[in-house]
Amino acid sequence: MTDRRSKHLQRIAALLAGLAALLVVIAFAVVPRFIATAPQGPTVGGSFSLIDQNGRSVTDADFRGKVMLIYFGYTFCPDVCPTTLGNVAQAYDLLTPAEQAQVVPIFITIDPERDTVDQIAQYVDAFSPAMVGLTGSPEQVAPVLKEFRVYAHRVETTDGNYSVDHSSILYVMDKKGQYATHFSGEVTPKEIAAGLKKQLAG
Ligand code: NI
């Protein structure tokens, strides 16, 4: 082996070692963060103090004794929110009256600037008379988004308006207000209703 060739190999070996070290660093830095953001255990959710669609101040404590089915979104959402809330309304209709009395579907806005009390009222009413719509000042809403680990990112649109990219998760909170389970992705009204019935039975 020539001297030049061995130097070349040494350089490649050093480069590979460097790359391996970098991968380890990335894995330790990034992977736990992904795991930590997945809803799990009692660390998801918490107290909130917001305004309902009738303009009344409400807190999470007002819903004790009921299973809360909570969804975060915004009324100007073009697709995901209306689809999901439509499924929620259908799921609620699949429950017996006795079960319905123990469940409250709640829509919480991630866009309090545009989602005024009147806007929220019209919106939730279009889905179900049983649905509670919650808004508030940005200062009231922000900590709730944090507690539920909601991803919401404002994106300016060309028409001078904006949309909000957001996570789409249905949270099931038990009668004590603690996280019970969640639905994500495409979930049918039947699946949501089955999950709620199971929660009520358990
Ligand atoms: Ni949406």
Side-chain angles (χ1 to χ4, degrees):
M1 197 184 285
T2 65
D3 199 35
R4 179 182 277 184
R5 195 163 164 206
S6 107
K7 267 201 184 129
H8 187 64
L9 284 175
Q10 270 174 20
R11 215 172 287 161
I12 290 174
L15 188 71
L16 286 176
L19 271 178
L22 187 67
L23 282 176
V24 168
V25 168
I26 289 171
F28 275 98
V30 174
V31 173
R33 207 171 297 160
F34 275 118
I35 292 168
T37 52
Q40 53 178 248
T43 53
V44 172
S47 58
F48 56 79
S49 178
L50 297 164
I51 312 289
D52 75 6
Q53 74 266 41
N54 301 306
R56 286 189 294 243
S57 291
V58 295
T59 73
D60 54 296
D62 294 324
F63 301 104
R64 285 297 177 280
K66 292 199 176 194
V67 168
M68 296 185 287
L69 181 63
I70 303 179
Y71 188 72
F72 292 87
Y74 68 117
T75 68
F76 291 89
C77 181
D79 39 40
V80 185
C81 290
T83 304
T84 307
L85 294 175
N87 289 342
V88 165
Q90 283 184 53
Y92 187 82
D93 288 344
L94 290 171
L95 302 177
T96 66
E99 288 166 338
Q100 287 179 342
Q102 302 170 70
V103 171
V104 57
I106 300 175
F107 172 73
I108 302 179
T109 186
I110 57 171
D111 184 15
E113 280 179 49
R114 287 187 298 190
D115 286 344
T116 60
V117 168
D118 285 348
Q119 179 73 20
I120 284 274
Q122 282 184 32
Y123 192 69
V124 292
D125 200 48
F127 291 103
S128 167
M131 196 175 288
V132 171
L134 300 179
T135 184
S137 66
E139 292 74 24
Q140 281 176 300
V141 171
V144 187
L145 303 187
K146 207 171 174 190
E147 283 172 347
F148 282 84
R149 300 183 195 175
V150 174
Y151 168 79
H153 181 70
R154 181 171 160 154
V155 181
E156 307 301 321
T157 50
T158 47
D159 59 0
N161 230 315
Y162 64 91
S163 62
V164 189
D165 279 352
H166 66 96
S167 49
S168 181
I169 293 174
L170 271 171
Y171 300 86
V172 179
M173 310 300 284
D174 69 18
K175 291 181 177 180
K176 291 176 184 163
Q178 305 286 317
Y179 169 86
T181 187
H182 72 274
F183 305 101
S184 56
E186 285 187 24
V187 60
T188 66
K190 266 189 180 176
E191 287 165 338
I192 299 168
L196 291 171
K197 284 172 185 281
K198 195 177 161 195
Q199 180 59 33
L200 290 172

